[in-house]
Amino acid sequence: MTARITRRLAVLAGAALLAGAAHAAWPDKPITLVVPFPPGGPTDMVARVLAQAVGEQLGQSVVVDNKPGANGNIGNAFVAKAAPDGYTVLYNTSSLALSPALYKKMSYDPRKDLAPVALTAVVPLGLVVNPQLPVKTVAELVDYAKKNPGKLSYGSAGNGNVTHLTAFQVTQHYGIEATHVPYKGSAPADVDLVAGQIHFMTDTINSVAPFIKDGKLRLLAVSTAKRLPNFPEAPTLAESGMNGFEARAWQGVMVPAGTPAPIIERLNQAFLQ
């Protein structure tokens, strides 16, 4: 009996040593960073900067793989079903937390099938309009919309995305009638907004800032509790009549559930660094 227990302990110890060696060797090949939104959008832009820096930290390439669609759920499901070995990593936004409340059926459970690694960014939103629209303030937008009921449209990065829900709250608060046009990410929505295909949008400020500075979009308000230092002339939505309102989009890193803790810890350290 004692000999049998000893042999079992030896086997377990050997397995633990092999597992420890495997974790110590990680990563020994490139890592895929899945971004569930199109290239060029605000999430993709930050992900690519981080991918390069994290790759340098880990000594391996971190390759961005865009898998847009269904408010990020296509890319989320891909990672949730991937091998939990640290080589498939998800870079997503607050849409991940919103999806369970907005979709009746999902092919994965974000609470059970994914494990958190690091919070990387919290990004404010801006209410922007195409400059051809004859409005320069939120009050003027509301007045114009009420004089032209049902004629305005607003874009978003996808159904249920924070860019959608923030704009929806704006329309509901002010009693604006406008048509929602969902896109597969912010990048194509921004392009159509600049082209005048849609009229307004609440998008992450890092996505629309270049268009604002070039005069291709007009910033009416920001979603933060206080004005942004880089756009001090833009009032907050709270100042514009939505008392106490604040909205931000967060970005973060996740891996398939079951990924060994030492790998998660190394990823955490690399992203925070």
Side-chain angles (χ1 to χ4, degrees), residues 123-125 222-228 235-238 245-248:
V123 188
L125 290 84
V222 293
S223 68
T224 45
K226 297 181 179 180
R227 296 192 181 197
L228 297 178
T236 66
L237 284 169
F245 182 84
E246 184 178 3
R248 297 170 185 252

Side-chain angles (χ1 to χ4, degrees), residues 70 72 83 88 118 129 186 194 198 236 243:
T88 305
V129 299
S186 286
V194 169
I198 52 177
T236 66
N243 294 333

Side-chain angles (χ1 to χ4, degrees), residues 127-129 135-145 170 173-174 176 219-222 234-242:
L127 172 58
V128 288
V129 299
V135 301
K136 294 184 178 180
T137 66
V138 174
E140 290 179 0
L141 174 63
V142 173
D143 182 63
Y144 183 87
V170 170
H173 178 83
Y174 291 109
I176 295 174
L219 179 63
L220 303 187
V222 293
T236 66
L237 284 169
E239 288 179 278
S240 305
M242 296 181 70

Side-chain angles (χ1 to χ4, degrees), residues 40-258:
T43 309
D44 178 75
M45 289 190 294
V46 179
R48 290 182 184 275
V49 172
L50 288 171
Q52 181 176 353
V54 169
E56 293 171 358
Q57 292 286 327
L58 297 175
Q60 283 290 343
S61 298
V62 178
V63 182
V64 173
D65 182 11
N66 296 91
K67 293 186 180 297
N71 195 31
N73 284 315
I74 291 175
N76 298 345
F78 178 84
V79 176
K81 297 174 182 178
D85 55 11
Y87 291 103
T88 305
V89 180
L90 176 66
Y91 192 80
N92 204 347
T93 68
S94 42
S95 65
L96 181 71
L98 298 171
S99 288
L102 298 168
Y103 289 82
K104 291 182 178 179
K105 292 184 179 180
M106 295 173 60
S107 62
Y108 72 103
D109 185 337
R111 292 161 293 190
K112 296 179 180 179
D113 299 331
L114 294 168
V117 174
L119 177 68
T120 54
V122 180
V123 188
L125 290 84
L127 172 58
V128 288
V129 299
N130 182 287
Q132 293 181 356
L133 205 65
V135 301
K136 294 184 178 180
T137 66
V138 174
E140 290 179 0
L141 174 63
V142 173
D143 182 63
Y144 183 87
K146 290 186 175 180
K147 289 179 179 177
N148 298 272
K151 294 184 179 181
L152 296 185
S153 60
Y154 65 96
S156 76
N159 277 314
N161 188 279
V162 68
T163 60
H164 171 206
L165 297 181
T166 303
F168 178 76
Q169 287 179 287
V170 170
T171 61
Q172 290 294 293
H173 178 83
Y174 291 109
I176 295 174
E177 292 182 33
T179 302
H180 173 227
V181 183
Y183 290 80
K184 291 184 177 180
S186 286
D190 293 339
V191 170
D192 272 9
L193 181 57
V194 169
Q197 299 299 316
I198 52 177
H199 300 98
F200 68 97
M201 184 174 177
T202 53
D203 200 4
T204 50
I205 201 70
N206 59 331
S207 181
V208 294
F211 300 113
I212 296 168
K213 291 178 179 178
D214 290 343
K216 294 179 180 179
L217 292 178
R218 182 177 295 141
L219 179 63
L220 303 187
V222 293
S223 68
T224 45
K226 297 181 179 180
R227 296 192 181 197
L228 297 178
N230 49 339
F231 294 104
E233 72 285 355
T236 66
L237 284 169
E239 288 179 278
S240 305
M242 296 181 70
N243 294 333
F245 182 84
E246 184 178 3
R248 297 170 185 252
W250 57 258
Q251 297 178 5
V253 184
M254 305 192 83
V255 291

Side-chain angles (χ1 to χ4, degrees), residues 15-36:
L17 287 172
L18 288 173
H23 298 162
W26 180 92
D28 59 3
K29 61 180 181 180
I31 296 168
T32 298
L33 185 64
V34 175
V35 177

